[in-house]
């Protein structure tokens, strides 16, 4: 199409306006409507296409043709469906064999944007292929191997962990899911050792392993957990023998990265360095926090893997789904849950010393209101519920929360200078970040994380000990979260730091921001002491924001001793879903507070987030 014709079509599309445009359509959805009209479609087809775009904006990979609106009426009437089936812009797979060349696809009662249909089909095909490629292992994991890998332990509570380690060898796909404290990471380490030994038995060489996660913070945390697990295995009551030494070295040589970095993302230019034509040089790939993966990212990952590579997906399928399209971890687990082939293992036993919160999390996961109320009552002192009906009650709760935070900061001497090499004092200050955390269902508004964090910051800054920094952007005790990756500074989206006062030696203390130094797994040989503290100039940080309150989404993968979860008082809020509540409350290790009205809590417990699409169905064949 030449520029004059394209310009004429674009101008025509801009002049079009959808009649009775639904209030919740985005600008993008309206643009899709106009595009369809400008390219020969009728109003019914344009409306269906705009609703498909709207569905994608809400995370769905497809729009079910029978989906009702808020009043219970079908979004798409019979006339819409007939128009879609007969449109030259829509590939109706009930009447044709291919979707190529059409921007929209009708498939088994669902309307797709072409890219989402293509991604769903390719992901399902790749996962089925990996499942079908399973074979009898050359070096199966026996009971003696399991006793060695579990330091001589054979507890009943470890039965599912042993099953995961035993079943992984010989597979091209292994999925491990479970809640906090169920030992997913320790199980992954043992699985990797078994997979490495199997690879060597088949090829004569130890494998090249890569570990990754959707966020840099999660990837580094997995690396650190593997390093700590390796130290425990080496120093246990029944240390690993020489047979396992090269495989432990292979694990410790693994590079930790985000999934985007693993694939060689080209950023704003689009695409990845590794793809079907240039496969990723890895024999075994582990993806942690896989519930954060969206459909397009999993498609890119599967495309980049060699056919003979092993993929291990790890995560909690009951957590919030990705911010992008689809709910791939939930769909994969749903498709494999009752399949006897054994490429999914769900861990359920919690190994934490304080198990008072486990029944609460299980009740939330199941959406059982009665069990939730009973679990809260049974955990009195460990779990509390505070009704927060309005802004005034929220201010009172925030005032008490800020007092506790201030007491914690004062206890570690946050306002006093510390010498840069005093790792113990710096670690104590950094540990404040894991002591308590307020999590919000919303980001914006009076009950959102942004405004709540600002309110806590204002209360802290009123402390007399911080008067020297009145009006300054930075002050001792300010907690921040990085919001954009900075590979040069080795800071990643989700990293959290605390501002500290450092003795510069000349009598003029400097403000620095302390971050956890989490080495790659391979750094264990050069840094046997493990994680330390990094000090950075506040003016050199990548984009960041206050972290006194976070959204539940931002907290995924993190754990804190004490957590408060704030829900908005509006029971009609679309954020009130079971996965959000489960994700927030399961971040707590020792104590949990729920700031919410009873009807709001009931709405969240009874509303399960379900994203529309057919991935689980396609994986099942």
């Amino acid at each position: 199409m030449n520029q004059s014709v394209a310009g004429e079509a674009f101008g025509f599309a801009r002049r079009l306006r959808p009649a009775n445009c639904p209030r919740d359509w985005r600008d993008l959805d309206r643009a899709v409507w106009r595009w369809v009209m400008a390219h020969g479609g009728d109003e019914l087809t344009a409306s269906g296409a705009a609703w498909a775009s709207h569905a994608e904006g809400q995370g769905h990979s497809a729009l079910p043709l029978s989906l009702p609106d808020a009043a219970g009426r079908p979004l798409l009437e019979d006339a819409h469906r007939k128009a879609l089936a007969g449109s030259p812009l829509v590939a109706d797979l009930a009447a044709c064999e291919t979707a190529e060349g059409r921007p929209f696809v009708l498939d088994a009662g669902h309307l797709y944007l072409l890219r989402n249909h293509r991604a769903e089909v390719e992901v399902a095909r790749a996962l089925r292929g990996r499942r079908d490629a399973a074979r009898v292992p050359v070096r199966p994991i026996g009971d003696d191997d399991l006793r060695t890998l579990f330091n001589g332990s054979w507890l009943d509570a470890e039965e599912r962990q042993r099953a995961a380690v035993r079943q992984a060898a010989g597979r091209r796909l292994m999925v491990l899911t479970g809640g906090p404290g169920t030992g997913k990471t320790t199980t992954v380490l043992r699985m990797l050792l078994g997979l490495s030994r199997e690879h060597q038995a088949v090829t004569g060489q130890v494998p090249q392993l890569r570990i990754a996660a959707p966020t840099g913070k999660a990837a580094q945390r997995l690396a650190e957990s593997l390093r700590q697990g390796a130290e425990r295995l080496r120093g246990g009551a029944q240390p690993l023998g020489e047979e396992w030494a090269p495989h432990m070295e292979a694990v410790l040589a693994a590079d930790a990265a985000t999934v985007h970095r693993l694939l060689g993302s080209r950023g704003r230019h689009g695409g990845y360095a590794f793809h079907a034509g240039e496969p990723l040089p890895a024999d075994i790939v582990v993806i942690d926090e896989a519930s954060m993966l969206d459909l397009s990212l999993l498609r890119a990952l599967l495309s980049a893997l060699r056919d003979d590579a092993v993929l291990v997906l790890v995560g909690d399928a009951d957590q919030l789904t990705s911010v992008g399209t689809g709910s791939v971890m939930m769909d994969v687990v749903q498709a494999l849950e009752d399949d006897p082939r054994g490429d999914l293992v769900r861990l359920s036993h919690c190994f934490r010393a304080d198990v008072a919160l486990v029944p609460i999390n299980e009740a939330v996961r199941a959406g059982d209101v009665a069990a939730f109320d009973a679990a809260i009552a049974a955990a009195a002192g460990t779990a509390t519920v505070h009704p927060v009906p309005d802004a005034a009650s929220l201010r009172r709760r925030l005032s008490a929360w800020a007092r506790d935070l201030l007491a914690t900061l004062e206890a570690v001497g946050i306002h006093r200078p510390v010498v840069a090499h005093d790792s113990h004092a710096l670690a104590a200050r950094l540990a404040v970040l894991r002591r308590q955390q307020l999590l919000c269902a919303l980001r914006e508004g009076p009950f959102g994380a942004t405004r709540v964090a600002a309110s806590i910051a204002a209360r802290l800054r009123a402390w007399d000990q911080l008067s020297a920094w009145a009006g300054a952007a930075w002050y001792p005790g300010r907690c921040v979260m990085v919001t954009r990756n900075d590979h040069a500074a080795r800071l990643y989206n989700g990293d959290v730091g605390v501002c500290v006062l450092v003795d510069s030696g000349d009598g003029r203390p400097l403000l620095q921001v302390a971050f956890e130094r989490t080495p790659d797994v391979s750094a264990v040989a050069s840094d046997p002491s493990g994680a330390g503290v990094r000090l950075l100039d506040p003016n050199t940080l990548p984009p960041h924001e206050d972290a006194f309150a976070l959204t539940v989404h931002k907290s995924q993968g993190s754990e804190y001793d004490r957590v408060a979860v704030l829900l908005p008082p509006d029971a009609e809020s679309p954020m009130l879903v079971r996965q959000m509540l489960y994700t927030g409350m399961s971040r707590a290790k020792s104590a949990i507070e729920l700031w919410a009205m009873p009807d709001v809590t009931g709405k969240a417990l009874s509303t399960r987030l379900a994203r529309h699409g057919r991935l689980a169905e396609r994986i099942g064949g």
Side-chain angles (χ1 to χ4, degrees), residues 422-616:
D422 189 345
S423 58
H424 179 76
L426 287 171
R429 286 158 170 75
L430 193 58
V432 168
L433 299 170
R434 297 188 294 273
R435 294 286 295 277
Q436 68 180 78
Q437 184 64 62
L438 177 57
L439 304 178
C440 305
L442 305 178
R443 176 175 174 81
E444 305 299 338
F447 288 79
T450 300
R451 199 174 298 182
V452 168
S455 178
I456 295 173
R459 286 169 167 80
L460 290 183
R461 300 194 66 169
W463 185 28
D464 290 342
Q465 301 285 7
L466 298 182
S467 59
W469 295 274
W474 289 96
Y475 51 90
R478 183 187 179 194
C479 300
V480 295
M481 172 176 278
V482 173
T483 58
R484 193 172 70 196
N485 294 341
D486 185 335
H487 297 295
R490 288 180 292 118
L491 289 175
Y492 303 96
N493 184 14
D495 283 351
V496 182
V498 61
C499 187
V500 298
L501 199 58
V502 178
D503 187 351
S504 61
D506 60 1
R508 292 178 298 177
L510 298 174
L511 288 176
Q512 300 278 279
V513 186
F515 288 90
E516 182 178 356
R517 176 189 283 116
T518 307
D520 291 343
V521 220
S522 56
V524 65
S526 58
D527 183 15
S529 64
V533 179
R534 301 171 60 203
L535 294 175
L536 299 174
D537 186 327
N539 298 315
T540 66
L541 297 187
H544 54 272
E545 60 189 17
D546 278 344
F548 295 115
L550 303 175
T551 62
V552 173
H553 249 300
K554 283 283 189 181
S555 75
Q556 282 184 269
S558 299
E559 293 180 334
Y560 313 93
D561 294 337
R562 174 189 174 198
V563 168
V565 178
L566 171 62
L567 305 184
D570 178 14
E572 299 305 312
S573 171
M575 291 303 298
L576 296 177
V577 295
R578 189 184 309 165
Q579 289 93 331
M580 180 278 300
L581 186 58
Y582 171 80
T583 302
M585 298 194 74
S586 62
R587 301 308 93 201
K589 296 172 65 177
S590 303
I592 184 70
E593 299 177 24
L594 179 60
W595 300 1
M597 299 300 292
D599 61 327
V600 169
T601 302
K603 169 68 181 309
L605 286 169
S606 61
T607 306
R608 183 178 183 274
L609 175 65
R611 288 189 166 174
H612 304 302
R614 299 181 56 230
L615 180 60

Side-chain angles (χ1 to χ4, degrees), residues 223-284:
E224 173 64 8
S225 297
L226 291 176
R227 185 194 67 79
Q228 292 173 346
E231 291 178 347
R232 288 192 294 269
L233 270 180
R234 285 169 161 171
Q238 188 171 324
L240 293 177
E242 286 301 315
E243 176 193 10
W244 296 101
H247 309 299
M248 182 65 80
E249 290 177 6
V251 173
L252 295 178
D255 182 33
T258 65
V259 180
H260 284 88
R261 193 177 183 192
L262 173 73
L263 297 177
S265 172
R266 295 194 174 102
R268 64 172 180 263
H269 301 293
Y272 300 94
F274 298 110
H275 45 77
E278 185 67 34
L280 182 70
D283 302 303
I284 302 170

